Amino acid sequence: MPVVRPHKRTTGDVLAVLALAALPMAAGALLPWVLLRPNRLAPGEYLGLPPVLGAVALGLAFLPLLTARLRPGLTWLPASLAPVLGVWLLGDRTGAALVGQAEFARASAAAGLWLFLLGSGVAVYGARLVAPGRVSPLLPWLCLPIVLALSVGGHLSSWSVLAEARSEGPRWGQELARHLWLVGWALSLAVGIGAPLAVWASGRERVASLVLGLANAVQTVPSLALLGLLIAPLSALATAFPALRDLGVSGIGTAPALVALTLYALLPVLRNGVVALRGVPPSVVDAARGMGMSPGQLFWRVRLPLALPVWLGGLRQAAVLLVGVAAVAALIGAGGLGVYIFKGLQSAAADLILLGAVPAALLALGLDAALRGLEVLLGHRLGRVAGREAA
């Protein structure tokens, strides 16, 4: 019979995690939650929680820690309630603040809310570590569908970020589609260039050193500097060859953004490809040769399936990297969610910054989770070669 020792773990590192979660949540309950302004740029007034709601938030801050001490199996319940309460209070308090205000008034989230949500996220993470084997680690994440339902159900409609999204209208959707277009094309080009190079370099040490060194050198260049360096040569090419200009190639806009993004994504695709293909056990390759497989059959039926899970880890890294770098491409007129980030920075409008930064962060997290899940699934179905360190 397996020996389960949840209490020993609960009294140690997990309690420390939950204590660290309680501190920002408690501080958040005491700090202002809403910043009410007459418009997006004017200074405003900070509003705290009413005493009753503040007491509820303060009590919930310490409840996961106390539950873990007394009833470890129920820790997931207060931990998952904390983010739900934070999001519910965001919609409730911003709605209450705008009552009787002008149409252009904005109710933003203040430091109290962000600290409370930060602590609640740590509490959810800590609750997953409590009583392993006795409750499902997925229970603390039950808060996610509730938070999603509150978000899409209109409860947060008074939040200033969503008010800015409504005022932007279809343009926000166009910039999001533009961001996805840049990431998708750059990743496709990086795979189209990097995959054949990885296959070629995997069996040639000098070639591998050369291509990996070049890709690594490109990634050491800051993204903004790389975009600036591409302006002059692409402008010269467009001037020398009018056909390229007719195709849309110029010193600013989409062309330099796609070139820079593709170059940035090459290193993880190349590195993981080389490591994955080199990690295929020689005994497996020899057995396949002994069965009479041709080089093409050996690659497509043996080497590629075994290398694919580790190689997919490189694609995941490249995709997450591109979501962030694509935001910088807005500075050279390529569009995307970075338009709102830099527009907000220029006008000191935090809501506009969040209008670009929040969906970009969610997009990166979603891509990472989806590709990581596919990586694990392929690893279980096809097996995994040595090379986890590169993923």
Side-chain angles (χ1 to χ4, degrees), residues 218-243:
V218 169
Q219 209 172 58
T220 58
V221 180
S223 55
L224 193 56
L226 183 59
L227 290 170
L229 290 172
L230 289 171
I231 290 177
L234 288 177
S235 296
L237 278 175
T239 303
F241 303 100

Side-chain angles (χ1 to χ4, degrees), residues 54-76:
V56 172
L58 190 60
L60 191 57
F62 294 98
L63 200 53
L65 180 62
L66 295 176
T67 308
R69 187 71 179 174
L70 301 176
R71 297 292 299 272
L74 295 178
T75 308
W76 63 272

Side-chain angles (χ1 to χ4, degrees), residues 125-155:
Y125 172 77
R128 293 178 60 249
L129 307 176
V130 176
R134 297 205 316 179
V135 296
S136 170
L138 296 178
L139 282 177
W141 297 109
L142 287 177
C143 59
L144 291 181
I146 303 175
V147 169
L148 183 62
L150 289 173
S151 303
V152 302
H155 183 70

Side-chain angles (χ1 to χ4, degrees), residues 21-93:
L23 292 177
M25 291 170 69
L30 301 174
L31 290 172
W33 276 52
V34 174
L35 173 61
L36 177 62
R37 294 169 298 173
N39 56 60
R40 69 164 62 152
L41 299 177
E45 176 188 3
Y46 286 101
L47 304 175
L49 290 175
V52 174
L53 293 178
V56 172
L58 190 60
L60 191 57
F62 294 98
L63 200 53
L65 180 62
L66 295 176
T67 308
R69 187 71 179 174
L70 301 176
R71 297 292 299 272
L74 295 178
T75 308
W76 63 272
L77 184 58
S80 60
L81 280 177
V84 173
L85 177 67
V87 174
W88 182 82
L89 283 176
L90 172 63
D92 181 73
R93 291 295 90 199

